[in-house]
């Protein structure tokens, strides 16, 4: 009944505004577009395997960014029988719609983690805990992520190699960045040294964006910056964001790497299957299989060649520790017998920013959810995949700075400004997604809740603070404990973010932004007001109050040479002291690169696939 009522209203609306529809699609086109989209997903998604064999050559734990790339590359070898195990379910059609990105965090495709309360971060969040979403779905965090594609700086990888990890220098890994790439931005694709058009992952600019993104680039030029392709020679400068999108839809790792190999007979996938343990022979120290639960049934499956752990930077250390690989003292505390004593879970790194740095404007050019979620826009989206629904809700432009070397064009960026054509007040979902305390939110943002705004995340790229993942207990169904330890360093991290805040304010004063009468929103956070709004001390307090993760959790199973006391895996990603077990995901990064971590994780997995093939005598192309 209710449904029919809505259809009736919708039809009336469509007929009344048919003059607009004539240009932007019609209800008929939208319905056939919707069917086309559903079919694409239905025909693309790998079905849950009906049969699970007692053994496979390789078992991959986790179908996230790394797991999907790896499953694709390993099953190129017909002799390799692979089982991919994923705790979450299928990727759904609505997950492809860019504007819904933040909304996906409220579905069961999110592990929904929270950090433990700490003194110097997340103070303004509910119960002092920051929300750390992670993908629990085929495609992993690449289904929840904001689709920004950045590789980082050459020094990131030269630093990995310099620390004793041969083969990870920029010159060597560039070919793996290019291998997965299908650059569809014609101007950038011409630069063949850095870009490729033959990979699986399409990169595009969204067809729709607000004029504020142009203002951001112009403001950059006005203040002495320049516009660059940050995925080429140098990173320092301003740019529209390159997104992992295809024709107005999300390209998750699942869509890019699993859809095309749906018919491969040597790949099985088990969905909604939670790995509870890696099986390791305590005498030979060989990983010989995994245990998992699926649909109320327990499975024990063997790996003839290798078990590969790709469960991400939070779950991979948890699974290792539950399986007896980790810091001995901590395992003993939890009644786990240690098989190898390794610093699993340490070295946790992330990128974070001051959240809620807001500027109000005098026009209606920013994103506001009530203007986006209109029937017209929905019809346009399903007809042509264009319009505001095809854009990742306001995240439009980016800039990189080297605060230590501000005048060098080839600097090593330690600061990013992420420009959003909206703010905490433009979408009701943001407050929930970041888990901002209601009192704080109402006091500071309530008075501007109906305004047009833009926002910048001043984000730290090379943090010195480090956190840790610990077990709550040995139950694999319980969430591990996350100690983010934001701002626990000697003061470096807060100073970089402060420079970002000052830079964002400088940009707001340019002609480009004054055209919109941009004004820094100046209601102080209640707990910081005593420092005086806009003083350095005020901002230090603010960034510890609205501390926003940019979701680049990594580095908890550090790659390093044998002599590195912090290392968990060797430069070929094999777990020290164990045979037949590798970790391939964002957890192996020794340091977080000056990049959003999805592209670097794909690169890691591409390279890992070649190393695995090499180790099993398969020729590499
Ligand atoms: C909200 C959000 C926004 C982001 N935005 C960006 C962005 O714009 N650009 C960017 O570059 N990066 C972004 N990132 C980061 C990026 O998505 C990750 O760095 C990347 O996806 C990490 O890949 P991974 O393979 O290490 O882990 P994941 O992709 O998280 O994959 C791990 C997989 O393992 C599965 N798993 C875990 N435990 C088990 C178990 N016990 N049994 C079975 N399966 C298990 C999980 O369900 C998951 O599917 C974002 C992340 C989030 C969460
Ligand atoms: C460890 O085992 C002992 C003895 O069985 C028990 O008393 C204790 O509660 C257990 N500790 C944990 C953390 O599970
Ligand atoms: C993009 O999607 C729209 C809507 O489904 C479709 O009409 C169009 O043909 C697609 N374009 C390309 C290049 O695939
Ligand atoms: C916004 O303010 C600027 C600067 O004061 C002014 O030039 C512009 O006309 C205003 N725009 C609107 C839509 O009021």
């Amino acid at each position: 009944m209710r449904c029919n009522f809505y259809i009736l209203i919708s039809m009336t609306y469509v007929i009344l505004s048919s003059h607009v529809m004539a240009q932007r699609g019609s209800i008929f086109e939208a319905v056939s577009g919707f069917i086309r989209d559903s079919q694409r997903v239905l025909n693309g998604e790998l079905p849950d395997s009906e049969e699970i064999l007692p053994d496979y050559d390789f078992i991959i734990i986790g179908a996230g960014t790394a797991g999907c790339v790896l499953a694709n590359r390993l099953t190129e070898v017909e002799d390799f029988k692979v089982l991919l195990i994923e705790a979450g379910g299928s990727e759904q059609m609505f997950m492809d719609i860019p504007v819904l990105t933040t909304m996906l965090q409220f579905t069961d495709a999110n592990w929904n983690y929270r950090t433990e309360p700490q003194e110097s971060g997340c103070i303004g969040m509910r119960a002092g805990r920051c929300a750390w979403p992670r993908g629990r779905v085929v495609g992993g965090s690449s289904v929840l992520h904001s689709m920004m594609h950045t590789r980082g700086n050459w020094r990131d990888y030269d630093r990995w190699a310099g620390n004793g990890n041969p083969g990870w220098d920029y010159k060597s890994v560039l070919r793996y960045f290019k291998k997965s790439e299908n650059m569809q931005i014609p101007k950038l694709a011409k630069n063949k040294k850095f870009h490729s058009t033959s990979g699986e992952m399409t990169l595009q600019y969204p067809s729709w964006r607000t004029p504020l993104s142009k203002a951001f680039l112009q403001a950059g030029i006005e203040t002495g910056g320049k516009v660059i392709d940050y995925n080429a020679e140098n990173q320092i400068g301003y740019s529209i964001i390159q997104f992992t999108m295809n024709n107005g839809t999300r390209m998750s790792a699942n869509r890019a790497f699993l859809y095309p190999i749906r018919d491969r007979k040597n790949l099985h996938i088990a969905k909604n299957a939670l790995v509870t343990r890696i099986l390791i022979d305590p005498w030979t120290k060989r990983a010989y299989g995994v245990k998992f639960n699926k649909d109320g049934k327990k499975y024990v499956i063997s790996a003839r060649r290798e078990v590969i752990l790709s469960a991400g930077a939070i779950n991979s250390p948890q699974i290792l520790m539950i399986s007896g690989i980790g810091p001995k003292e901590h395992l003993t505390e939890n009644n786990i017998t240690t098989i190898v004593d390794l610093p699993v879970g340490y070295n946790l790194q992330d990128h974070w920013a001051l959240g809620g740095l807001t500027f109000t404007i005098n026009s209606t050019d920013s994103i506001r959810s009530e203007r986006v979620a209109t029937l017209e826009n929905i019809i346009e989206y399903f007809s042509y995949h264009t319009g505001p629904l095809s854009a990742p809700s306001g995240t439009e432009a980016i800039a990189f700075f080297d605060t230590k070397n501000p005048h060098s064009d080839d600097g090593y960026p330690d600061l990013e400004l992420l420009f959003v054509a909206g703010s905490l007040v433009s979408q009701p979902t943001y407050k929930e997604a970041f888990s901002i305390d209601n009192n704080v939110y109402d006091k500071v943002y309530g008075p501007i809740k109906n305004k047009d705004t833009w926002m910048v995340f001043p984000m730290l790229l090379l943090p010195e603070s480090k956190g840790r993942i610990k077990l709550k207990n040995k139950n694999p169904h319980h969430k591990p404990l996350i100690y983010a330890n934001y701002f626990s360093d000697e003061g470096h991290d807060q100073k970089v973010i402060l420079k970002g805040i000052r830079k964002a304010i400088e940009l707001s004063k340019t002609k480009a932004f004054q055209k919109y009468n941009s004004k820094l929103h100046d209601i102080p956070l209640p707990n910081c007001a005593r420092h005086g709004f806009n003083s350095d001390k005020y901002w230090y307090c603010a960034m510890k109050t609205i501390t926003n993760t940019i979701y680049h959790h990594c580095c908890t199973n550090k790659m390093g040479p044998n002599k590195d006391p912090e290392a968990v895996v060797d430069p070929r990603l094999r777990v020290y002291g164990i045979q037949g077990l590798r970790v391939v995901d964002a957890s192996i990064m020794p340091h977080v690169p000056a990049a959003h971590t999805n592209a670097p994780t794909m690169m890691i997995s591409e390279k890992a696939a070649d190393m695995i093939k090499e180790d099993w005598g398969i020729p590499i192309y």
Side-chain angles (χ1 to χ4, degrees), residues 259-385:
Y259 276 28
I261 60 162
R262 191 182 141 103
D263 296 329
R264 280 190 196 159
K265 295 275 179 294
N266 55 342
L267 175 62
H268 282 175
I269 182 166
K271 300 183 190 179
N272 299 303
L274 185 90
V275 170
T276 54
R277 205 188 158 105
I278 298 168
L279 300 167
I280 301 163
D281 183 318
W283 305 109
T284 60
K285 307 227 161 164
R286 192 181 164 78
Y288 63 87
V290 304
K291 262 190 181 170
F292 64 90
N293 297 344
K294 177 175 162 60
D295 307 326
K297 258 180 83 182
K298 286 190 163 62
Y299 291 79
V300 177
I301 307 293
S302 315
R304 286 187 292 262
R305 298 182 200 241
E306 292 188 26
V307 174
I308 299 163
L309 184 54
S310 300
I314 297 169
N315 294 49
S316 282
Q318 181 192 20
I319 297 169
L320 282 181
M321 290 191 277
I322 287 172
S323 309
I325 301 167
K328 184 160 187 201
E329 202 182 328
H330 181 51
L331 300 194
T332 308
E333 246 165 50
N334 285 287
N335 284 351
I336 298 167
T337 310
T338 303
I339 300 176
V340 193
D341 182 6
L342 286 173
V344 171
Y346 286 92
N347 196 43
L348 171 62
Q349 296 178 34
D350 189 15
H351 285 149
W352 69 96
L354 163 68
L357 181 62
T358 308
F359 300 85
T360 55
I361 57 173
N362 66 353
S363 74
T364 53
D365 287 305
S366 79
I367 306 237
R368 289 205 53 96
S369 54
E370 68 273 13
R371 287 199 297 261
V372 169
T374 65
L375 188 65
E376 269 175 84
N377 288 341
I378 294 170
I379 289 180
E380 178 179 355
Y381 182 76
F382 285 110
S383 300
Y384 305 128
H385 285 169

Side-chain angles (χ1 to χ4, degrees), residues 357 497-507 534-537 539:
L357 181 62
I497 293 181
L498 179 65
K499 283 184 185 158
I501 295 167
R502 296 285 175 223
K503 188 74 199 182
I505 295 173
E506 181 192 345
L507 294 176
N534 206 10
S535 67
D536 288 1
K537 279 208 173 127
W539 290 121

Side-chain angles (χ1 to χ4, degrees), residues 465-479:
S465 308
K466 286 178 186 172
R468 184 176 169 194
I469 303 289
K470 284 171 93 171
L471 291 177
K472 183 156 188 227
N473 55 45
K474 64 176 179 183
N475 185 337
H477 299 278
H478 291 176
K479 291 176 176 169

Side-chain angles (χ1 to χ4, degrees), residues 26-73:
S26 66
I27 193 96
F28 174 74
E29 277 175 292
V31 169
S32 40
F34 182 86
I35 294 170
R36 201 162 51 236
D37 280 350
S38 311
Q39 223 103 48
R40 170 171 53 77
V41 174
L42 218 63
N43 297 335
E45 180 81 17
L46 234 77
D48 207 358
S49 296
E50 277 165 26
E51 183 193 19
I52 296 168
L53 305 175
D55 48 40
Y56 291 85
D57 292 292
F58 295 93
I59 298 177
I60 303 172
I61 304 170
T65 300
C68 291
V69 174
L70 202 58
N72 180 314
R73 297 305 182 217

Side-chain angles (χ1 to χ4, degrees), residues 61-67 85-88 101 105 111 113 132-150 243 273-276 292 310-313 315-316 318-319 476 550-553 584-587 589 595-601:
I61 304 170
T65 300
I85 307 175
E86 169 54 47
T101 298
Q105 292 180 27
W111 285 90
Y113 290 117
W132 276 27
R134 302 297 301 172
R136 182 187 176 128
V137 55
V138 178
S141 297
S142 77
V143 176
L144 299 192
H145 87 147
S146 316
M147 301 179 280
M148 294 174 237
H149 189 83
T150 73
F243 285 101
L274 185 90
V275 170
T276 54
F292 64 90
S310 300
N315 294 49
S316 282
Q318 181 192 20
I319 297 169
I550 312 291
Y551 317 109
H552 299 163
H553 322 128
V584 179
D585 60 24
S587 72
M589 297 178 183
H596 295 240
T597 41
N598 194 55
T601 305

